[in-house]
Amino acid sequence: MNPLSDRVKYLTESATLAMTRLSRELTAQGLDVINLSIGEPDFDTPTFVKEAAKKAIDDNWTHYPPVPGYADLREAVSLKLKRDNNLDYTPEQIVVSTGAKQALTNVMLSLVNPGEEVIVPTPFWVSYSELIKLAEGKAVYINASLENRFKITPQQLEEAITEKTKLVMFNSPNNPTGSVYSREELEEIAKVLERHPHVYVIADEIYEYITFGIAHYSLATFSSIKDRIIIINGVSKGYAMTGWRLGYSVSSLEIAKACNKIQGQITSGTCSITQRAALAALLKGPNENPELVSMVEIFRKRRDLLGSLLKEIPGFKVDIPDGAFYIFPDISELFGKTMANGTVINNDDELCMYLLKEAQVALVSGSSFGNPKCIRFSYATSDERLMEAVKRIKKALA
Ligand code: PMP
Ligand code: GLU
């Protein structure tokens, strides 16, 4: 007899984390695997943030924090929203969570009833589809094509909205494509949303600081729809703090209270030491922090390097993205081809497995992000490793 709930049976393991696990296992066996599967900065957390955490331990910030986060931390998020996005929110509208992942979960469980529709532009980050399943919502996918630089059009959104639509998942800069919507494009999306006052939007802005030559704008900037936007953000990507586990939601007071209620029953909020570290991080804007300015500049150079190298591989179609640290080439031209060792590549999963075995390069297949024609490269590693990875891939595909 299988004791597991249907809920967990229908849930898919996070493909990004699964590929990373596989890559770590092979590395432990002594193989020289180049891991381009995990989406996290390879940089260390800035020194002043680490110092704040050490001090927090010595100062005994070791008790249960308030469920939605310390008051001064939520005040700092409120100041950040004013400083970086010119948005006015009170600390009470902010709920600090165990990573942006929990912030997303809180919002999903707070808003979506069984059977309600959640519009998800594809490609999407792997956890969106699974969180919708957990909330028993119905995902409605709309395809953002490579030809349109992986961005949906306002018309596509308009056509997908029904009276059952509860929520739209919107992610810019995007994981896995790196696409960034311009202010003009966002304005067009906002106009569609204006016409449908029953629709809420999760604006996942976790890669906000990682853009190259194009500014990030928040959908919440458009005042006519601001009360229906829930911003998700955190310190994982922009401050190189993935392991600390701190994200937050920004919403109407009503939704913030609901998230607080859920979080109070599940985790009681995130780690007290992490919160003191995040406070130090958030009080410094992206440009006041030389370590982070240089991180983004290095990502830009790597994007240029990897982008031009991938374009040279026969069968790869590449959009050079404007943000995050991913490139998502279309490799569907390779399907049906026989490799030198006799392996036939039928789909994106098989290509990823083939490249892991033959080239020892770990990537994530596009299917997990809702686009089976593509594969994801995370370029959060050194130039040398990126060049070596492409060299090995070329050889394996020759
Ligand atoms: N949203 C997106 C688009 C992401 O890529 C990630 C990656 N981790 C998250 C949310 C979750 O971030 P966190 O590490 O803060 O949970
Ligand atoms: N978001 C990152 C990624 O896409 C981290 C892994 C995860 O949480 O899924 O690889």
Side-chain angles (χ1 to χ4, degrees):
M1 207 179 72
N2 185 338
L4 302 180
S5 69
D6 292 342
R7 186 181 309 114
V8 83
K9 275 185 229 154
Y10 296 133
L11 203 64
T12 309
E13 182 183 6
S14 166
T16 47
L17 299 180
M19 206 53 183
T20 302
R21 177 173 47 74
L22 202 56
S23 151
R24 281 182 185 144
E25 280 167 16
L26 293 175
T27 305
Q29 288 168 23
L31 293 177
D32 175 29
V33 177
I34 303 179
N35 184 9
L36 307 185
S37 68
I38 184 84
E40 71 166 333
D42 52 326
F43 297 88
D44 294 324
T45 301
T47 307
F48 75 95
V49 178
K50 292 192 281 199
E51 291 304 328
K54 289 178 201 167
K55 185 166 182 319
I57 296 175
D58 290 338
D59 291 350
N60 294 308
W61 289 87
T62 53
H63 299 272
Y64 281 130
V67 171
Y70 290 119
D72 54 357
L73 175 58
R74 289 190 291 152
E75 181 69 41
V77 174
S78 165
L79 290 171
K80 175 255 170 257
L81 289 159
K82 188 69 191 167
R83 179 192 66 211
D84 300 343
N85 315 98
N86 196 25
L87 289 170
D88 292 299
Y89 286 98
T90 65
E92 292 72 32
Q93 293 176 278
I94 291 149
V95 177
V96 174
S97 300
T98 311
K101 215 174 232 180
Q102 195 199 354
L104 282 164
T105 312
N106 287 342
V107 175
M108 191 73 74
L109 294 177
S110 294
L111 288 185
V112 177
N113 282 311
E116 285 183 330
E117 294 175 1
V118 182
I119 296 178
V120 186
T122 61
F124 56 84
W125 176 49
V126 293
S127 294
Y128 291 173
S129 53
E130 305 314 302
L131 294 179
I132 295 168
K133 277 187 208 165
L134 277 183
E136 296 177 59
K138 179 170 177 273
V140 175
Y141 296 106
I142 46 181
N143 177 37
S145 65
L146 186 141
E147 289 67 34
N148 203 38
R149 304 202 66 201
F150 294 118
K151 298 181 213 183
I152 55 162
T153 64
Q155 199 180 344
Q156 281 181 299
L157 180 61
E158 180 72 60
E159 284 166 11
I161 294 175
T162 71
E163 75 264 18
K164 282 203 183 144
T165 307
K166 183 60 165 280
L167 194 59
V168 178
M169 304 300 295
F170 193 82
N171 174 216
S172 173
N174 182 273
N175 179 3
T177 65
S179 300
V180 183
Y181 285 76
S182 68
R183 192 188 164 90
E184 294 70 34
E185 287 165 336
L186 291 173
E187 198 166 358
E188 294 306 311
I189 299 280
K191 278 185 199 156
V192 175
L193 294 164
E194 238 174 59
R195 289 196 284 275
H196 301 280
H198 66 294
V199 176
Y200 290 76
V201 182
I202 287 186
D204 182 342
E205 304 184 347
I206 189 96
Y207 296 96
E208 163 175 26
Y209 293 154
I210 309 173
T211 62
F212 318 119
I214 173 173
H216 161 85
Y217 279 98
S218 177
L219 253 189
T221 313
F222 303 96
S223 54
S224 58
I225 55 166
K226 186 184 172 211
D227 58 339
R228 291 184 280 127
I229 307 291
I230 302 102
I231 297 175
I232 301 291
N233 207 333
V235 294
S236 291
K237 316 288 173 168
Y239 292 94
M241 292 178 69
T242 47
W244 299 74
R245 310 307 303 130
L246 189 137
Y248 54 85
S249 61
V250 183
S251 65
S252 68
L253 204 51
E254 186 184 23
I255 296 173
K257 280 184 181 160
C259 291
N260 190 8
K261 188 156 117 183
I262 289 180
Q263 184 158 293
Q265 297 292 15
I266 299 180
T267 60
S268 304
T270 195
C271 166
S272 56
I273 308 303
T274 288
Q275 291 195 40
R276 302 320 290 165
L279 172 65
L282 286 164
L283 287 176
K284 270 200 194 181
N287 299 323
E288 300 160 67
N289 197 331
E291 286 170 83
L292 297 176
V293 171
S294 101
M295 176 176 89
V296 175
E297 183 50 23
I298 291 170
F299 277 142
R300 189 186 61 73
K301 288 193 181 134
R302 289 181 187 163
R303 180 226 26 199
D304 293 344
L305 173 70
L306 182 65
S308 61
L309 290 173
L310 292 181
K311 277 188 167 176
E312 286 170 11
I313 305 179
F316 276 49
K317 248 195 284 173
V318 184
D319 173 70
I320 304 291
D322 296 317
F325 35 75
Y326 307 108
I327 298 186
F328 198 60
D330 181 321
I331 41 73
S332 57
E333 231 180 76
L334 299 174
F335 297 166
K337 296 237 154 80
T338 309
M339 300 294 127
N341 71 356
T343 307
V344 181
I345 303 295
N346 292 303
N347 54 46
D348 57 327
D349 287 323
E350 290 182 10
L351 181 66
C352 281
M353 279 306 152
Y354 175 75
L355 291 176
L356 183 61
K357 272 202 212 134
E358 291 300 312
Q360 270 126 48
V361 177
L363 303 165
V364 187
S365 64
S367 309
S368 356
F369 304 98
N371 184 333
K373 288 171 141 189
C374 297
I375 52 177
R376 187 186 80 172
F377 286 74
S378 163
Y379 54 84
T381 191
S382 68
D383 289 0
E384 292 69 36
R385 294 298 269 173
L386 291 174
M387 286 190 282
E388 173 65 17
V390 174
K391 199 168 114 195
R392 291 189 197 174
I393 291 171
K394 275 182 164 167
K395 190 164 165 236
L397 296 178

